[in-house]
Amino acid sequence: DGGITQSPKYLFRKEGQNVTLSCEQNLNHDAMYWYRQDPGQGLRLIYYSQIVNDFQKGDIAEGYSVSREKKESFPLTVTSAQKNPTAFYLCASSSDRANEKLFFGSGTQLSVL
Amino acid sequence: SQQGEEDPQALSIQEGENATMNCSYKTSINNLQWYRQNSGRGLVHLILIRSNEREKHSGRLRVTLDTSKKSSSLLITASRAADTASYFCATDLRQGAQKLVFGQGTRLTINP
């Protein structure tokens, strides 16, 4: 069953802690993206990667880090430098670099304890 | 401010009626896409319209694009309760970084 898998579905972060959100895809897509969604808001781009071992900052990269060591995987780390991390995080992928038809995972809700 | 601005922010209609949502944007685009999001879930791609197209249909969905007015509309005909969701437009900018810019969405409620 092809698609994008995000885990965990819910995550809690303590103050000063780094947490990592997982995103795995078996669609053989080159491009992968991380978006943040706040309640009642649209999506804001955190980081994106168009090819393995390369990634670019999006509009709100501060306090976040990513890696793209494998085509299938694009984990997002929310660092302690991100002072307002509570949000719904969405991972997406697309088959080429042309930004056509993104496939999304089911999201991770991150909350601060 | 956001590249894509949607109107209205919320829409509530009776089942069977048509629903129209609008999206306006500021700069030239390669394409405009519409996505649907059910509560607490990821987004699902609905339809893509390119800058040289004016209208596109997919099932009960009809999308129009007016590049002179920098606006698009999504029409859902014969609405069903299952259409209850948030709908987002996303623009692929002609210049700038390779990324989609999403609007803030229209929250559609279909009343049975």
Side-chain angles (χ1 to χ4, degrees), chain B residues 4 6 16 23 31 33 38 40-41 56 61-62 68 73 75 87 92 99 103 108:
Chain B
E6 277 138 295
C23 171
N31 67 63
Q33 302 171 42
N38 289 87
R41 304 300 299 270
K56 217 165 177 183
L61 306 180
R62 173 181 165 237
S68 66
S73 67
L75 168 68
Y87 292 82
D92 179 19
K99 61 179 183 180
L108 175 64

Side-chain angles (χ1 to χ4, degrees), chain A residues 65-99:
Chain A
S65 66
V66 293
S67 63
R68 186 83 187 278
E69 297 175 1
K70 297 187 300 182
K71 188 175 186 177
E72 301 80 19
S73 179
F74 192 40
L76 173 74
T77 297
V78 184
T79 74
S80 57
Q82 173 49 247
K83 298 306 179 188
N84 184 23
T86 296
F88 190 54
Y89 290 85
L90 286 160
C91 179
S93 70
S94 64
S95 60
D96 57 29
R97 305 180 187 188
N99 291 312

Side-chain angles (χ1 to χ4, degrees), chain B residues 69-109:
Chain B
K69 295 181 179 178
K70 292 186 170 58
S71 67
S72 173
S73 67
L74 171 68
L75 168 68
I76 303 174
T77 60
S79 63
R80 305 167 182 169
D83 295 328
T84 294
S86 291
Y87 292 82
F88 295 88
C89 68
T91 50
D92 179 19
L93 304 182
R94 182 157 292 169
Q95 293 180 346
Q98 287 282 335
K99 61 179 183 180
L100 288 181
V101 180
F102 285 82
Q104 295 190 329
T106 292
R107 191 170 63 254
L108 175 64
T109 302

Side-chain angles (χ1 to χ4, degrees), chain A residues 102-104, chain B residues 34-38 42-47:
Chain A
L102 266 61
F103 291 79
F104 282 83
Chain B
W34 286 91
Y35 289 79
R36 184 187 73 206
Q37 183 182 34
N38 289 87
L43 279 68
V44 175
H45 182 269
L46 295 176
I47 198 165

